[in-house]
């Protein structure tokens, strides 16, 4: 973990960080994954999404959220007038866990310095955690997603506090479509935050 922290911290750019991860041998997930899934979208965007870990389609393409979950995420973005050119998308863990199992706490801890550095380098104004796992890793909050979602929190960025919110993971919405009602609220709240409004 110390090695991961040192390497991540020394990355001066996103390209550097990606190269660093590509050369990093401290996470066993790399052995079974086909590709490194680093990020997608616009590094200049004010809005950044963080998911948990790549699935099968992401592992094949080397890009986050390109499977069914990703298509739903695209539609949700579209609903608030955005697309991938106005958002940056990454995961806590950049390699697919075998069979899409949940990453272990050790795997998550090893990868954490890299996503922390990635957030620093992108320096977004608004951070959205897709599902409870990424919020737990990055904010240390222990609540379940049902309790945590839709509430604005603060993420300690580099030299500034970043407005952060957790919402349902799109994969969960595919299984529980009725919950889209609450996600819709969260996305309106995100839109509002980006446009500087004050409505909840
Ligand atoms: N689920 C995630 O958390 N991330 C992806 O990239 C795809 C599915």
């Amino acid at each position: 973990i110390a090695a991961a922290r040192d390497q991540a911290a020394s990355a001066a750019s996103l390209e550097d960080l990606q190269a660093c991860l590509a050369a990093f041998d401290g996470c066993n997930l790399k052995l079974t994954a086909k590709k490194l899934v680093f990020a997608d979208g616009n590094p200049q965007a004010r809005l950044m999404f963080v998911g948990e870990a790549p699935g099968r389609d992401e592992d094949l393409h080397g890009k986050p959220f390109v499977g069914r979950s990703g298509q739903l995420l695209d539609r949700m973005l579209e609903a608030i007038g955005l697309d991938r050119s106005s958002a940056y998308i990454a995961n806590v863990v950049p390699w697919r866990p075998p069979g899409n199992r949940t990453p272990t706490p050790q795997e998550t801890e090893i990868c954490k310095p890299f996503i922390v550095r990635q957030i620093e380098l992108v320096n977004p104004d608004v951070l959205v955690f897709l599902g409870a796992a990424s919020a737990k890793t990055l904010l240390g909050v222990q609540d379940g997603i049902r309790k945590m979602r839709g509430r604005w929190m603060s993420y300690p960025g580099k030299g500034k506090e970043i407005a952060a919110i957790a919402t349902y993971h799109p994969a969960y919405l595919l299984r529980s479509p009725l919950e889209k009602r609450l996600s819709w609220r969260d996305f309106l709240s995100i839109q509002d935050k980006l446009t500087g409004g004050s409505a909840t």
Side-chain angles (χ1 to χ4, degrees), residues 37 51-55 58 63-66 69-70 90-91 130 169 171:
V37 178
E52 183 176 17
E58 290 75 23
K63 268 190 196 181
F65 287 97
V66 291
S69 295
N91 287 301
L130 296 171
H169 193 290

Side-chain angles (χ1 to χ4, degrees), residues 94-161:
W95 294 284
R96 180 199 188 194
N100 293 352
R101 65 163 170 75
T102 302
T104 64
Q106 290 87 334
E107 288 160 353
T108 301
E109 276 308 302
I110 276 281
C111 294
K112 182 175 167 180
F114 294 98
I115 186 67
V116 166
R117 184 69 181 139
Q118 206 170 350
I119 296 169
E120 278 180 9
L121 290 167
V122 173
N123 192 27
D125 293 333
V126 175
L127 193 54
V128 181
F129 302 113
L130 296 171
S134 63
K136 279 184 186 164
T137 302
L138 290 164
L139 278 182
V141 282
Q142 292 304 322
D143 289 338
I145 189 68
R146 224 166 280 279
K147 181 143 185 236
M148 186 192 326
R149 63 144 281 281
R151 240 190 314 131
W152 284 101
M153 302 175 282
S154 181
Y155 176 86
K158 195 152 194 161
K160 77 173 189 195
E161 290 294 316

